[in-house]
């Protein structure tokens, strides 16, 4: 069994190389500083926000569901809580394991590449 913060920390570690490569930095809530996790409690949801020149990324956990929301820089008019959902995964902390976390990280990194990478896709 995973604790929510442990699961989110593993996801953050799993996507950090890709988010940094694409110029995104985690946004720390007021009063939260590294090495603590950049998790905000927003209306009962655990939220991690990334911002960069290419846009915004929001990871949101609520009631066993993990959502990935993304907005490109040209979609800056959308508020943070109204970004397009790019992915939705079930996150059952009772049964989740590292293999499941790796799968989510891989899916998120592929999504980031599709949305934010300026490199041509390999065929």
């Amino acid at each position: 069994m995973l604790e929510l913060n442990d699961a989110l920390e593993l996801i953050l570690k799993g996507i950090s190389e890709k988010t940094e490569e694409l110029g995104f930095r985690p946004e720390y809530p007021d009063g939260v500083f590294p090495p603590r996790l950049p998790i905000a409690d927003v209306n009962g949801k655990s939220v991690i926000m990334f911002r960069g020149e290419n846009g915004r990324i929001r990871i949101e956990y609520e009631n066993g569901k993990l959502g990935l929301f993304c907005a490109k820089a040209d979609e800056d008019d959308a508020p943070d809580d109204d970004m397009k959902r790019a992915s939705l995964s079930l996150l059952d902390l009772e049964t989740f394991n590292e293999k499941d976390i790796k799968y989510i990280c891989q899916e998120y990194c592929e999504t980031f590449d599709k949305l934010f990478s300026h490199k041509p896709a390999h065929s």
Side-chain angles (χ1 to χ4, degrees), residues 17-101:
E17 189 175 314
K18 180 58 67 182
T19 54
E20 287 173 20
E21 172 189 320
L22 294 172
F24 289 95
R25 299 282 176 260
E27 184 174 276
Y28 283 83
D30 289 342
V32 178
F33 305 97
R36 291 185 49 209
L37 297 175
I39 301 170
D41 184 325
V42 180
N43 300 325
K45 300 174 189 173
S46 294
V47 175
I48 301 170
M49 210 49 212
F50 290 85
R51 294 185 191 279
E53 287 184 18
N54 292 326
R56 295 168 290 155
I57 297 169
R58 177 182 172 105
I59 298 171
E60 187 175 281
Y61 175 84
E62 180 182 36
N63 297 328
K65 294 181 183 143
L66 190 68
L68 173 66
F69 300 83
C70 298
K72 293 183 181 180
D74 60 0
E75 299 169 322
D76 263 352
D77 55 340
D80 289 344
D81 61 354
D82 194 27
M83 295 163 50
K84 290 181 189 160
R85 186 172 72 202
S87 173
L88 183 64
S89 307
L90 293 178
L91 179 59
D92 180 355
L93 296 170
E94 297 289 324
T95 61
F96 232 64
N97 60 39
E98 281 190 38
K99 184 178 173 187
D100 299 317
I101 296 283

